[in-house]
Amino acid sequence: MFTLSEQLATTIARLKEPARRGQIGRLRRGIEKEGLRVDASGRIAQTPHPAALGSKLTHPHITTDYSEALLEYITPVYCRPSDAMDFLGDLHRFSYRHLADELIWPASMPARLDGNESIPIADYGRSNVGTMKSVYRKGLDVRYGRIMQSIAGVHYNVSLPEDLWALLREMDGQGQLNLGDYRSSRYFGLIRHFRRHSWLLMFLFGASPALDRSFLEHSPTPDKLRAHARRTLMAPYATSLRMSDLGYQNKVQAQLKICFNSLSNYVGTLRHAIATPWPAYERLGVNVDGDWRQLNANILQIENEYYSDIRPKRVTRHDETPSQALEARGVEYIEVRCLDLNPFMAMGIDETQMRFLDAFLMWCLLADSPWIPDEECDRLDDNRALVVDRGRDPELRLAVDGTERRLAELGHDIFDEIAQVAELMDISETGTPHGDAIARLAPRLDDPSLTPSGQMLTLLEGEGEDFVDAMLALARQQADQLRSEPMDSARDALFTQLSDTSRQQQGDIEAGDSLAFDEFLEEYFARAREPRATHKEAAGR
């Protein structure tokens, strides 16, 4: 029989009365959603970012990720998931007014490609800031190739209720600690617990068990993939090939061993990586006869190059890097980065998933989360690798605390704990939205065919269709739906104004540059090396 851990049970019990008094508040979240533009035949678009969508350098809500064809939508921060979804929906509706016959690809694994060069690198204009963004992407190309960068996903940004931190600090008997230091320490505890259990999210929400042959270009087909139809490769039990060794993985970065035990360790490791040359990258060259191939030849060009399934974040000021912002003012929110697009949803995500993620993250915060030693760090990586490759295999077992247990058994134990946290969160809600989300998703543990990856394989195998053809049909259906739906009139006017304003802002930035690019870059990295810590970090729990 399941028994809630004594620590978590005590914490939840002590928080219930403050929750009834309205002292905890609501989570705040924002969504970043990527999606490739494709032509009517399902090939990656070769056209420039539509001018009517504004400047991708300066627009606050519509930009691009790696490629000129990889749209990225960014919502404001909202307390209600429905508000974030409404805004994201209107970003899609507005875009479709200016995409002509192009479509937004609904899947994480890309549409049909025609080799590395078929993925156009995003162009951010003539300014030094814009040139830096483009050169950074050229560096990703020479290091990893463009094809890996054509993968899309959803990033979920969450900050926990501000009033909750003071309550937890008092409950922990840490009143002597600066609240910002305490908050950062607890956020890192959340991240450690997340990394121990992020495999569950990849099982529940992974949606990339198949891909088009063009993704592998001229590479040999891995043993875990089998042929389907004419041009498709699939892994029978996979949940998220996007998060596997076929997707965002890098052996050079793996040696960094960032296990998120403390803010100072995290920042120090990233700073070391940005300052440490790597021989293979040195051989590629940096600025060769005026041709900028990468920003530098170090392990990481900039901090954004570090791939992880979760990141601590802080809104940066104009003169600081992400790590400097964390050093100076602590962790403000976390960014969940392991979520595939759900191709069966026009937004790639829905409110049920958001409510579950919120409860999962609150559970990660409230549960005990000791530091992660190196040997456990390796085991966590192994568990995630097993789930992304074989998560729906009924025989799969994961290593936990020196034993091996079936995924469904582990999942039910976690769901039982999260349900208690959801009950706490629903005290301040109308109805029980967090509890309802858990109840709707729980059947996936015992019937993996209900997961998005299971649904995709059922679709492909049932119709005998290729991945690209099936996803193209979904893209057309979603485009028709979004083009026919009205959008909020005030938001329509806002997006039109932002498009015009963003183009003007890009022009102003370009006109205001006074340094040559190499001088600008030298100054940037000189500032990036400066420590910005303004107070002593709290000790980990």
Side-chain angles (χ1 to χ4, degrees), residues 171-188:
M171 287 169 52
D172 278 354
Q174 301 289 323
Q176 76 281 3
L177 288 179
N178 172 280
L179 188 60
D181 290 338
Y182 176 79
R183 179 172 53 236
S184 291
S185 177
R186 288 299 298 257
Y187 265 128
F188 270 82

Side-chain angles (χ1 to χ4, degrees), residues 5-9 11 172 186 189-190 192-194 196-197 362-371 417 540-541:
S5 75
E6 182 178 349
Q7 174 271 330
L8 183 58
T11 299
D172 278 354
R186 288 299 298 257
L190 180 160
R192 290 192 299 274
H193 205 66
F194 179 97
R196 287 181 166 106
H197 302 94
M362 183 67 85
W363 170 67
C364 288
L365 174 74
L366 298 181
D368 190 35
S369 183
W371 282 27
E417 290 208 355
R541 287 192 295 160

Side-chain angles (χ1 to χ4, degrees), residues 6-58:
E6 182 178 349
Q7 174 271 330
L8 183 58
T10 300
T11 299
I12 291 173
R14 295 181 67 183
L15 287 173
K16 282 188 175 180
E17 187 55 37
R20 294 187 186 101
R21 294 196 300 264
Q23 290 181 273
I24 290 182
R26 290 178 170 177
L27 280 70
R28 292 164 54 82
R29 81 276 292 159
I31 302 170
E32 300 171 32
K33 187 259 186 182
E34 301 160 351
L36 277 176
R37 285 186 296 112
V38 302
D39 66 19
S41 66
R43 291 185 179 274
I44 185 171
Q46 301 299 302
T47 52
H49 183 72
L53 300 185
S55 164
K56 50 192 174 293
L57 178 68
T58 54

Side-chain angles (χ1 to χ4, degrees), residues 96-135:
Y96 264 119
R97 295 183 179 189
H98 306 288
L99 289 183
D101 63 347
E102 291 181 347
L103 302 165
I104 300 173
W105 193 246
S108 282
M109 300 310 285
R112 192 154 292 154
L113 308 174
D114 189 19
N116 197 65
E117 300 303 312
S118 69
I119 302 162
I121 293 176
D123 178 3
Y124 294 92
R126 305 187 314 272
S127 68
N128 283 328
V129 171
T131 300
M132 182 177 176
K133 290 172 75 72
S134 294
V135 171

